[in-house]
C-alpha cells in the first residue's frame, strides 16, 4: 500500500524558516498532493495543495509565507515555511487534496514555533 512519511519538523523561532518533507512509498510519482496540520486540541486543517498542472492553493493563514513544491524523481513533496508564527505550531501531514480519497495517514512531523 501507499505509505506517506513526513520529516523535517523542528523547533523554530518565530520569524524563522523551515522546510518539511513528505516521501511517498509504493507510488511512481505524486499527482495532486496536499499538506495538512493539526494543533493540539484542534481538528486537522488544510494548509496547501498542488495539482497535476502545478497549480498551488493555500489556506489564508499561510498564504504568502508557505510554498508547496514537488520533486517527482525523489517522490518527495516539500513545504517551505517562512516567517513562521506561533500559531503554525502543529503536527504536519501530507495526503491527497480535499475531495479526493485519502491514503492512510502517516505519523506527521512536529513543528513547534517559539515566540
Amino acid at each position: 500500500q501507499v505509505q506517506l512519511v513526513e520529516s523535517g519538523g523542528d523547533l523554530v523561532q518565530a520569524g524563522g524558516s523551515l522546510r518539511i518533507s513528505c516521501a511517498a512509498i509504493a507510488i511512481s510519482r505524486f499527482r495532486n498532493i496536499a499538506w495538512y496540520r493539526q494543533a493540539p486540541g484542534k481538528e486537522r486543517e488544510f494548509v496547501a495543495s498542488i495539482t497535476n498542472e502545478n497549480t498551488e492553493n493555500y489556506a489564508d493563514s499561510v498564504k504568502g509565507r508557505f510554498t508547496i513544491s514537488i520533486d517527482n524523481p525523489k517522490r518527495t513533496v516539500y513545504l517551505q515555511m517562512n516567517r513562521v508564527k506561533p500559531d503554525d505550531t502543529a503536527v504536519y501531514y501530507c495526503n491527497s487534496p480535499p475531495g479526493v480519497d485519502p491514503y492512510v495517514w502517516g505519523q506527521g512531523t512536529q513543528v513547534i514555533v517559539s515566540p
Side-chain angles (χ1 to χ4, degrees):
Q1 66 176 22
V2 172
Q3 293 181 313
L4 302 170
V5 183
E6 300 90 350
S7 63
D10 206 349
L11 173 64
V12 190
Q13 294 181 352
S17 297
L18 184 69
R19 188 178 72 168
I20 58 176
S21 303
C22 172
I25 300 173
I27 63 173
S28 60
R29 64 182 298 170
F30 278 112
R31 298 294 186 182
N32 298 331
I33 195 68
W35 281 99
Y36 303 83
R37 66 186 182 186
Q38 186 169 25
K42 296 185 177 181
E43 295 184 343
R44 184 181 292 114
E45 65 176 347
F46 168 82
V47 175
S49 65
I50 186 166
T51 70
N52 296 341
E53 296 74 37
N54 292 318
T55 299
E56 301 164 31
N57 192 26
Y58 299 93
D60 288 342
S61 58
V62 306
K63 191 176 184 65
R65 299 188 297 117
F66 291 7
T67 303
I68 186 172
S69 61
I70 296 175
D71 183 345
N72 267 311
K74 298 179 66 174
R75 299 180 299 173
T76 303
V77 60
Y78 303 98
L79 185 69
Q80 178 66 46
M81 308 167 61
N82 296 327
R83 305 190 307 278
V84 295
K85 305 176 181 179
D87 284 349
D88 295 325
T89 296
V91 178
Y92 284 72
Y93 303 86
C94 60
N95 217 315
S96 301
V100 179
D101 290 341
Y103 297 108
V104 175
W105 294 93
Q107 294 296 306
T109 188
Q110 176 80 258
V111 174
I112 300 175
V113 181
S114 61

